[in-house]
Amino acid sequence: MLVSSSRQYCCSQYWVNYMNRRRSSEIKLLLVSVFILTNGCSGSSDYNYVNKADCIAEWGEKNCERNGSSSSGGRSFTYRDSSRTQRLNTRASSVRRGGFGSSFGKSGGRS
Amino acid sequence: MHREDIIQRNNWQQKMEAIGFDFHSIDGRYWEESACYCFSVEEIDMIEQVTAELHQMCLEAIQHIIINKRYDDLAIPELFRKHIEQSWLKQEPSVYGRFDFSYDGFNAPKLLEYNADTPTSLIEASIAQWFWLEEVKPEMDQFNSIHEKLIDRWKKILSQGWIREPLYFSCVDECQEDYSTVQYLRDTAYQAGILTSNIFIEDIGWDAFGKMFVDLEEKPIYSIFKLYPWEWMIQEEFGQYILSNKLHIIEPCWKMLLSNKGILPILWELYPNHPNLLPAYFNSFPLNMPHVRKPLLSREGSNISIYTSENTLTTEGLYGSEGYVYQAYAPLPKFGDNNYPVIGAWIIGNEVAGLGIREDNSLITKNTSRFIPHYFVPKD
């Protein structure tokens, strides 16, 4: 009985300490790990996703293609950046681009 | 508070890359885990309390600036003053900010500046040092609930109807650090249930016919998070369109008042002799004592000058034409041979969420300064 109550105290104290922790209890990343494995922000041309829905949500269905064969376990989807360049170059519309971003370079924008 | 030399993990680079922290060695050595800082619970409690108080003081200061039209002091363009006021009156939500302190473990922390618009070192503070702690010192604790507070903050902003999905996440196309930071923030928004998308700041389009900002598919952009300074946006070609458009931007426009170094003398006017503030003034420093000159809009330690009786220490850069503030000099504490840390305390929404430490071998913290993890000893 004594052992039991001692253990109980020990465990409940542990639980109190655990619950009072000031750090996040867990950290999950759902998008980042997929992006970062293959993409930088400089010179990257492809963007990989683990599921097609995420790729389509970002770039549209026609721009997402499956990587690898299903027999080899390939199940990621890639948006190919060349279509971005193509869109920018071929669309004739009332849309202009490049009106933001010119200040970057004189210094970083981070703080 | 003290600094410990410790053994770094094998393969720490791969471990960092696996969580999206792929700029760990930018400019040589950026993430530094051969050392860490240790705090007591009391010190952590005090930093939290000070940060919360300063956050409230900053919100009061915004009210003061708007009521008293202090825009000239902050070099805010006339065209955008009403927009700032509307943003504040509508209580457009903020996601995050970071207060930087000089703190030595003995004296009261002194506010150096508030990075309210485009704070970085977020991945480092939120997840890199958390995973480090889990592996290296799991029995210890860390002042860091940034990750879950970010998710909670996005949920609240979404539930209050501020976001018209998809929420776009934007930064410049040529910076690894910014891109990774934005992708991390996007991840937290995604986990909050927000439909998100991605667009580089240079790719944002303006549809002159529809009078709206558009993405690469020419779909309207209604809500956007930008890791790009407000003061840059408003002076660029498309800046004028922000005024006539219903685009909702995070961080909100009123953050321009807090990220401006002019907030420092205004805080000192409103709260003279506050223990966590340094004397600060516009135009010149009236007392014959060591002081620092900071451009109103300087970032990453650019164009900072420290004047002491012995010498003057200056960093280069292209800021300063907008004017300066002058702040009493609070030397960063020195730990070990030549390590000068700055304490960065994070605010998520209106809550204090954790801290991160940047360290340099000089007295001025710059974009190349190292990030050092921390822990504190939990109470029994």
Side-chain angles (χ1 to χ4, degrees):
Chain A
M1 188 67 184
L2 189 60
V3 172
S4 172
S5 69
S6 172
R7 280 190 63 187
Q8 191 174 14
Y9 169 77
C10 168
C11 293
S12 61
Q13 188 60 46
Y14 172 82
W15 183 246
V16 168
N17 290 343
Y18 182 84
M19 293 303 289
N20 287 336
R21 288 193 315 181
R22 309 282 285 279
R23 70 179 189 261
S24 300
S25 53
E26 69 169 343
I27 288 184
K28 285 187 298 185
L29 296 169
L30 302 182
L31 296 177
V32 161
S33 55
V34 181
F35 274 111
I36 300 303
L37 287 175
T38 49
N39 308 323
C41 68
S42 179
S44 64
S45 57
D46 298 344
Y47 295 78
N48 292 333
Y49 300 80
V50 284
N51 67 69
K52 191 174 184 180
D54 286 343
C55 183
I56 291 173
E58 186 141 335
W59 304 107
E61 183 152 16
K62 64 187 177 194
N63 297 311
C64 293
E65 58 187 65
R66 182 185 290 272
N67 283 327
S69 66
S70 53
S71 60
S72 65
R75 51 185 295 277
S76 65
F77 290 80
T78 296
Y79 161 74
R80 300 236 176 263
D81 202 26
S82 56
S83 57
R84 168 186 165 202
T85 310
Q86 197 175 20
R87 267 201 307 280
L88 291 174
N89 291 340
T90 58
R91 285 206 179 185
S93 71
S94 56
V95 173
R96 287 185 292 119
R97 299 186 194 277
F100 286 133
S102 59
S103 302
F104 181 76
K106 73 174 185 180
S107 173
R110 300 170 296 281
S111 58
Chain B
M1 176 189 181
H2 65 272
R3 189 181 193 273
E4 287 180 15
D5 289 326
I6 54 173
I7 298 171
Q8 63 188 25
R9 295 169 293 171
N10 291 326
N11 303 322
W12 64 263
Q13 293 92 338
Q14 288 83 353
K15 290 171 180 174
M16 290 302 173
E17 285 156 20
I19 58 171
F21 182 22
D22 53 353
F23 52 95
H24 52 70
S25 299
I26 201 164
D27 298 317
R29 187 69 178 263
Y30 173 54
W31 169 264
E32 179 60 77
E33 64 171 65
S34 64
C36 63
Y37 281 90
C38 173
F39 295 86
S40 67
V41 172
E42 290 75 18
E43 288 167 338
I44 293 294
D45 287 344
M46 184 269 298
I47 291 170
E48 181 177 29
Q49 182 263 321
V50 165
T51 307
E53 184 179 352
L54 285 171
H55 176 65
Q56 286 305 315
M57 289 159 57
C58 282
L59 299 182
E60 294 290 328
I62 294 174
Q63 197 74 15
H64 165 84
I65 293 167
I66 289 175
I67 290 173
N68 295 283
K69 308 288 183 193
R70 300 287 301 269
Y71 303 115
D72 284 343
D73 288 332
L74 306 183
I76 302 285
E78 201 155 345
L79 199 59
F80 278 83
R81 296 175 181 183
K82 193 173 178 186
H83 196 69
I84 290 172
E85 291 174 3
Q86 289 171 343
S87 167
W88 175 247
L89 290 172
K90 284 191 288 184
Q91 297 183 35
E92 289 187 336
S94 159
V95 172
Y96 68 164
R98 194 193 73 236
F99 288 93
D100 283 351
F101 295 107
S102 172
Y103 178 56
D104 60 6
F106 298 103
N107 299 295
K110 298 291 188 184
L111 176 65
L112 300 175
E113 62 182 36
Y114 184 21
N115 301 289
D117 184 20
T118 58
T120 49
S121 75
L122 179 66
I123 293 177
E124 303 88 300
S126 179
I127 55 176
Q129 66 173 352
W130 186 90
F131 280 102
W132 167 85
L133 186 83
E134 289 283 308
E135 188 174 342
V136 177
K137 291 182 180 289
E139 73 284 7
M140 297 298 172
D141 203 355
Q142 190 174 75
F143 183 31
N144 174 20
S145 57
I146 297 170
H147 185 78
E148 61 202 50
K149 284 193 168 67
L150 279 171
I151 296 172
D152 289 344
R153 184 61 180 162
W154 287 121
K155 285 179 181 171
K156 186 165 187 181
I157 292 173
L158 180 67
S159 70
Q160 290 176 336
W162 288 106
I163 295 171
R164 185 166 171 185
E165 296 170 298
L167 172 62
Y168 288 81
F169 282 80
S170 192
C171 65
V172 293
D173 188 13
E174 294 178 5
C175 178
Q176 184 183 16
E177 182 185 350
D178 286 11
Y179 181 78
S180 298
T181 301
V182 163
Q183 291 313 312
Y184 169 62
L185 278 162
R186 186 182 169 197
D187 198 311
T188 59
Y190 179 82
Q191 293 187 53
I194 299 173
L195 180 62
T196 64
S197 193
N198 202 42
I199 189 164
F200 290 119
I201 203 96
E202 301 91 338
D203 288 343
I204 294 173
W206 173 252
D207 184 338
F209 184 74
K211 301 216 178 302
M212 63 177 76
F213 289 105
V214 296
D215 67 7
L216 287 166
E217 300 270 356
E218 300 190 5
K219 293 176 187 168
I221 299 174
Y222 297 111
S223 302
I224 191 167
F225 172 91
K226 51 84 197 165
L227 186 59
Y228 195 74
W230 261 105
E231 65 266 20
W232 290 3
M233 290 184 80
I234 63 175
Q235 70 177 11
E236 292 179 354
E237 183 190 348
F238 285 178
Q240 59 186 308
Y241 303 135
I242 295 172
L243 296 169
S244 58
N245 193 266
K246 288 191 165 41
L247 177 68
H248 181 235
I249 301 174
I250 302 171
E251 291 292 305
C253 191
W254 56 263
K255 277 295 193 81
M256 261 201 286
L257 305 180
L258 297 182
S259 62
N260 189 303
K261 300 292 188 296
I263 195 66
L264 298 170
I266 287 176
L267 283 171
W268 185 248
E269 285 176 28
L270 297 177
Y271 304 95
N273 301 313
H274 189 283
N276 303 115
L277 295 177
L278 292 162
Y281 305 91
F282 290 105
N283 302 320
S284 64
F285 201 78
L287 303 173
N288 184 23
M289 58 190 285
H291 63 277
V292 182
R293 189 183 76 164
K294 300 178 175 180
L296 289 173
L297 302 176
S298 174
R299 288 166 190 271
E300 300 182 324
S302 296
N303 301 97
I304 303 292
S305 296
I306 299 176
Y307 300 95
T308 67
S309 55
E310 289 84 34
N311 55 30
T312 300
L313 180 63
T314 300
T315 57
E316 295 184 344
L318 297 169
Y319 293 98
S321 60
E322 69 279 6
Y324 293 91
V325 300
Y326 298 79
Q327 186 185 41
Y329 179 43
L332 296 177
K334 184 177 177 181
F335 287 84
D337 290 338
N338 218 18
N339 305 298
Y340 299 94
V342 167
I343 306 294
W346 286 89
I347 288 275
I348 308 296
N350 291 305
E351 292 183 83
V352 188
L355 66 86
I357 300 170
R358 299 287 300 277
E359 186 186 78
D360 205 281
N361 294 122
S362 83
L363 286 161
I364 298 178
T365 307
K366 304 176 283 293
N367 63 334
T368 53
S369 302
R370 303 177 295 273
F371 189 97
I372 315 284
H374 83 276
Y375 75 91
F376 69 89
V377 184
K379 274 190 172 166
D380 291 334

